[in-house]
């Protein structure tokens, strides 16, 4: 079956849904494609940072998110393997919201503005013919072709799609590989605080979410946890036992049935890559260290930066080259510094000596730890002029 549209967005996570909504808002025929069915649980700390709010507002999505009753979070507490802790104020209130609820609500917002949603549909290839693209997909045994004037890659950090302009990322094989795992727990009392537990080989965050349960998400060195078992809960258990305070905290918590998810390998990026034959948004453009809690905010921001340029391209007022240059520059300007500081923070926090010294260093120089975390944050959204 063939579909003719103006734009295909590959990936119906946060960045894909948001850019699909923005383009459908401008009356473009937009196909939003995801290989999964929704709602689904996804590996994520489910901490929506304060910096996300201005972008949600610009995208017209504040009401969508507020209507899901996210939990308010005011502070972050870092708890180390040796027992020390630091408490950091957040630059504003953050939200705890499950991806199960949020991603489906964003799909609804996109379809209500007219985007077509194609779930359980895997993109298997992209071909460019002159000024148009053919996107090949598989839904079960059916092949569907989408013909479009523009294609936007919102496929997250773990996709392997062939496309003509794509150059494989040779650096990935040399990087540290991580495993991400998550579950929801019931039976835990939480203050309005994000709790981050550090231990040898990784860290785990506890974040209260809208239905009163608590999301636990961990990022772990793959090499260290490869023998921890095959189930998400056995991997999580191995991680939990590495921090005594975490083990005590979760002693009476009960994993919520069917909320577990895993992802591997996860590679973090030191530099953004917003264009590689195609415009990329979200994690496809930049994967920041999850301990910064800013990945969703960056996914939203990249969609907000890319959408007006995509609209200009479809209208004919912006060429493909101008789109690439302007978008690449905007992403570098906004993301390069948080990514760099995020990598540094990830590296520092993996060092046992840093974990040991940080609580006393933070007592003597409280602004130091604060400034380091602040350096990983996005600046408030400014409208893009072009
Ligand atoms: C352990 C961990 C903890 C994290 N914690 C936080 C946190 O607390 N706060 C925060 O802000 N960020 C956090 N993040 C990061 C955050 O989850 C991501 O930055 C965010 O999900 C990126 O959104 P996205 O839209 O780019 O990609 P995704 O949400 O990953 O969406 C990509 C979509 O593309 C689809 N797709 C891929 N390939 C294809 C294909 N071939 N065909 C069709 N569809 C395809 C996938 O099914 C997926 O739904 C965390 C990440 C990890 C690993």
């Amino acid at each position: 079956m063939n579909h003719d549209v103006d734009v295909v967005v590959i990936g119906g996570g946060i960045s894909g849904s948001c850019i699909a909504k923005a383009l459908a808002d401008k009356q473009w025929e937009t196909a939003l494609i995801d290989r999964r069915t929704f709602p689904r649980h996804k590996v994520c700390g489910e901490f929506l940072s304060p910096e996300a709010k201005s972008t949600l507002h610009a995208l017209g999505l504040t009401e969508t998110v507020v209507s899901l009753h996210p939990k308010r979070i005011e502070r972050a507490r870092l708890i180390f393997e040796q027992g020390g802790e630091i408490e950091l104020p957040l630059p504003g209130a953050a939200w705890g919201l499950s991806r199960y609820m949020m991603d489906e609500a964003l799909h609804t917002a996109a379809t209500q503005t007219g985007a077509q949603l194609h779930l359980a549909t895997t993109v298997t290839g992209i071909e460019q013919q002159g000024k148009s693209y053919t996107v090949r997909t598989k839904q079960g045994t059916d092949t569907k072709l989408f013909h479009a004037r523009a294609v936007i890659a919102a496929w997250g950090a773990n996709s392997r799609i062939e496309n003509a302009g794509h150059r494989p990322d040779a650096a990935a094989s040399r990087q540290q590989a991580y495993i991400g795992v998550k579950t929801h727990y019931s039976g835990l009392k939480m203050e309005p605080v994000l709790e981050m537990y550090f231990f040898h080989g990784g860290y785990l965050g506890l974040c209260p979410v809208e239905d009163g349960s608590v999301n636990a998400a961990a990022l772990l060195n793959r090499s260290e946890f490869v023998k921890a078992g095959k189930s998400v809960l056995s991997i999580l258990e191995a991680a939990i036992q590495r921090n005594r305070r975490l083990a005590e905290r979760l002693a009476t918590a009960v994993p919520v049935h069917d909320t577990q998810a895993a992802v591997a390998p996860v590679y973090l990026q030191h530099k953004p890559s917003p264009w590689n034959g195609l415009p990329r948004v979200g994690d496809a453009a930049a994967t920041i260290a999850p301990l910064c809690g800013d990945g969703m905010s960056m996914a939203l921001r990249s969609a907000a930066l890319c959408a007006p340029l995509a609209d200009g391209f479809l209208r004919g007022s912006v060429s493909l080259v101008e789109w690439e240059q302007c978008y690449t520059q905007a992403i570098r300007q906004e993301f390069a510094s948080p990514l760099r500081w995020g990598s540094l923070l990830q590296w520092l926090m993996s060092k046992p000596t840093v974990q040991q010294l940080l609580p006393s260093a933070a007592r003597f120089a409280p602004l130091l730890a604060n400034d380091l975390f602040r350096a990983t944050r996005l600046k408030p959204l400014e409208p893009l002029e072009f």
Side-chain angles (χ1 to χ4, degrees), residues 80-84 197-199 239-250:
F80 300 101
E81 195 176 339
Q82 296 80 3
Y197 293 84
F198 292 83
F199 43 80
I240 290 163
Q241 292 310 322
R242 291 187 178 208
N243 182 313
R244 186 182 46 80
R245 288 186 58 190
L246 176 59
E248 286 166 8
R249 184 77 171 97
L250 293 178

Side-chain angles (χ1 to χ4, degrees), residues 196-214:
M196 299 277 290
Y197 293 84
F198 292 83
F199 43 80
H200 178 67
Y203 50 86
L204 179 148
L206 293 181
C207 180
V209 293
E210 72 286 346
D211 64 357
S213 62
V214 172

Side-chain angles (χ1 to χ4, degrees), residues 42 44 143 154 175 221 294 367:
K42 177 174 175 68
C44 182
T143 300
Q175 287 172 10
N221 287 356
D294 226 13
L367 291 181

Side-chain angles (χ1 to χ4, degrees), residues 175-230:
Q175 287 172 10
Q176 166 75 53
Y178 298 93
I179 310 174
V181 277
K182 80 79 95 28
T183 184
H184 283 186
Y185 284 110
S186 62
L188 270 182
K189 273 211 158 55
M190 295 283 290
E191 296 171 55
V193 174
L194 172 74
E195 297 177 17
M196 299 277 290
Y197 293 84
F198 292 83
F199 43 80
H200 178 67
Y203 50 86
L204 179 148
L206 293 181
C207 180
V209 293
E210 72 286 346
D211 64 357
S213 62
V214 172
N215 181 57
L219 189 78
L220 309 168
N221 287 356
R222 190 164 69 164
S223 53
E224 298 232 11
F225 284 85
V226 83
K227 294 201 182 106
K230 288 221 182 316

Side-chain angles (χ1 to χ4, degrees), residues 50 133 165:
Y133 297 86

